[in-house]
Amino acid sequence: MSDSGYGDFEFERRFVARDVPRALLEESPPTLIVQSYYLADDGYALRLRVQSSTARAELDAGSDAVAVLDAHADAFDFCALTAKGPMIGGTRYEAERELDVSIGVEMVRRGGLRIVKNRHAVWLGADGWVIDVFGGANHPLVVAECERSGPVVDLQIPSFCVTEVTDDHRFANDALVHEPFARWAAGFERELDEQGPRFLQGFGRNQALPGDQR
């Protein structure tokens, strides 16, 4: 239970990111994440994640999650099983339990639908952000996310965030395992060209930050 009074609910806003400054990413060594979804349907998900703070993997369109897992199996240092509910207006139920890493690696290796990505944790303005750089069939997708213990209002949005996808389920990891970004990237680009960037109504792009501002 969090001390915010919101219990197991997470509050986040998510954005497609482009041209993230390399200097910003280099400030935070990436966390390598391989996660497997044993249930991913209509916004409900049961996810097993293993991650390493020391492994370094260059991810591209040819990266295979199991191959990356095998190459760095001894370096994974955290594992968690997470149950999630559907996202509603930037709010989502999430409950997590830490598991033995060796068991988690074997379970991810043996089943589920998998995603591989590098995650950078950075500070921008007063907020902590995570920037996920995907590999495999979701390359070259980059998603930036700000999460708080309460509703995310008065957010300073960095300039590398080109459009908001908080309420676009296509960009949720549990959707990307079924329909990887590469399959519909061209259609998304057409949407962006025709409709322009968008941000959640009532939130707006407040005091947009340049990517290198802290």
Side-chain angles (χ1 to χ4, degrees), residues 32-36 50 56-73 76 105 108-118 133-139 177 180:
L32 176 64
I33 295 173
V34 182
Q35 52 196 35
S36 186
V50 292
R56 298 293 177 260
E58 292 292 331
L59 302 180
D60 57 26
S63 299
D64 176 76
V66 174
V68 172
L69 182 77
D70 289 342
H72 301 280
F76 288 102
V105 167
V108 173
R109 180 181 284 130
R110 294 165 188 270
L113 300 174
R114 306 174 190 90
I115 273 181
V116 60
K117 60 187 178 181
N118 278 317
V133 181
F134 289 83
N138 287 299
H139 183 80
V177 293

Side-chain angles (χ1 to χ4, degrees), residues 1-15 84 87 89-94 122-130 144-158 164 166 202-207 209:
M1 175 85 62
S2 73
D3 58 9
S4 68
Y6 292 105
D8 289 326
F9 287 87
E10 62 175 4
F11 300 82
E12 63 187 29
R13 291 178 66 184
R14 307 174 75 239
F15 306 83
K84 289 174 172 274
M87 175 74 72
T91 305
R92 192 176 193 186
Y93 174 82
E94 178 177 306
V122 301
W123 281 96
L124 290 168
D127 283 297
W129 289 70
V130 295
E145 173 185 312
C146 177
E147 182 176 331
R148 295 178 182 170
S149 59
V152 184
V153 296
D154 298 323
L155 179 65
Q156 294 180 301
I157 302 173
E164 184 157 3
T166 301
F203 288 89
R205 186 170 189 158
N206 303 320
Q207 302 174 304
L209 292 170

Side-chain angles (χ1 to χ4, degrees), residues 19 25 73 76 90 99 108 115-116 146 156 159 165 182 194 214:
D19 301 320
L25 296 179
F76 288 102
L99 302 181
V108 173
I115 273 181
V116 60
C146 177
Q156 294 180 301
S159 58
V165 294
E194 294 170 0
R214 305 293 179 270

